[in-house]
Amino acid sequence: VVYNPAGLAQMTSTSASVFFVPQQFGLPELRTVAAAGVIPVGSFVTGLEVEQFGFDLYKETGVRIGVSSFVDEHISAGATVSLTRIAIDRYGSQTTATVDVGLLARVHENLKLGFCYLNSLGARVGVVGEQLPQVFLFGATYSIEKDVVLIAEIEKDIRYETIVKGGIEQSLFDFLRLRVGLSNNPDKFSAGFGLTYSNAEFGYAGYSHSDLGWTHQLEMSFVILP
């Protein structure tokens, strides 16, 4: 729902997850709490996400609704509509709508390519009409047998330099996944793991900013209806 709505089509079960960043860069004011769910309905998969970032003086509250379906056997497409309310103490608040679109294709048994365009309609916010970020995302995953996945991504905000990201995921013992990643502009290193038991998965990730330090992230996901 957040990064590429085309990926929703791959979900075959009704699932839900919660996500928590207690202190971004060690600042409790920069806290994120989110919850999301997906429901397959016929040939479509629908997703919903609710997220809140910030504190009393500055707060962003967002609701995203996405839908995705397979265009053919190997290609899926999707779109997400987001409503984001930005509230600044003593300055008031404003709600803005944005639309994200995405594609995902399996071009080989082990290779997937993805594309997403965030804020595709160029929505603006505020009395001066400040443009919200418009971002192009291009990504690829390559599976080495069933235990190792290599990931690469290029992110381009039309206002800033291109960001290049890379990562690897290693599966162990059918219940543990280890993950590491790197990116530039700015330089960041990330590492984490996922633990799966029955229909639930717990995930942790931490990433280090070259100037601002560490941020810790927690996630819990559940399969509600297989």
Side-chain angles (χ1 to χ4, degrees), residues 45-68:
V45 179
T46 300
L48 172 67
E49 193 245 9
V50 180
E51 180 176 320
Q52 187 173 89
F53 166 80
F55 65 121
D56 291 341
L57 300 183
Y58 178 89
K59 186 174 296 183
E60 295 181 11
T61 304
V63 177
R64 295 181 176 92
I65 299 176
V67 63
S68 177

Side-chain angles (χ1 to χ4, degrees), residues 2-3 42 65 86-87 104 149 161 182 200-201:
V2 178
Y3 293 106
I65 299 176
I86 299 176
L104 187 64
V149 179
E161 294 184 59
L182 295 169
E201 179 179 7

